[in-house]
Amino acid sequence: MRLSALAWAALAALPALAAAETHVVTMEAMGFRPAELVVRPGDRVVWQNKDLVPHTATARGRFDSGEIAAGKSWAWTAPGPGRLDYVCTFHPGMKAGIVVQ
Ligand SMILES: [Cu+2]
């Protein structure tokens, strides 16, 4: 049986439909780990605050966790492709980036 062009096009699109993954970024020792994360559109990123002080994950105009208390976490779903640099608004030395590809 021959597959139609439409069927082949649908198969070619399958990788984009792969199940979304969840990635964990730890907020620890006043830093984000990993500091660089590569994800795909639709993936979830969960920030877990393992420090004893509150932090945020803030990419101005793109996402903002607000205060994440010690021991708490916050989740966000990656949008379309692009690079997002973010900081902790309480501790400007805490910087990290996410590449959505
Ligand atoms: Cu902080």
Side-chain angles (χ1 to χ4, degrees), residues 27 30-32 49 51 53-56 87-92 94:
M27 305 159 115
M30 307 301 278
F32 296 104
N49 184 359
D51 271 337
V53 297
H55 294 300
T56 78
V87 298
C88 168
T89 56
F90 302 148
H91 310 105
M94 291 176 66

Side-chain angles (χ1 to χ4, degrees), residues 53-72:
V53 297
H55 294 300
T56 78
T58 307
R60 295 200 186 286
R62 301 299 303 274
F63 65 76
D64 186 3
S65 67
E67 179 176 321
I68 304 172
K72 300 293 187 182

Side-chain angles (χ1 to χ4, degrees), residues 38-78:
V38 178
V39 305
R40 292 188 172 280
D43 281 3
R44 247 164 61 99
V45 181
V46 178
W47 282 264
Q48 293 183 343
N49 184 359
K50 295 193 173 177
D51 271 337
L52 298 175
V53 297
H55 294 300
T56 78
T58 307
R60 295 200 186 286
R62 301 299 303 274
F63 65 76
D64 186 3
S65 67
E67 179 176 321
I68 304 172
K72 300 293 187 182
S73 63
W74 180 73
W76 167 84
T77 300

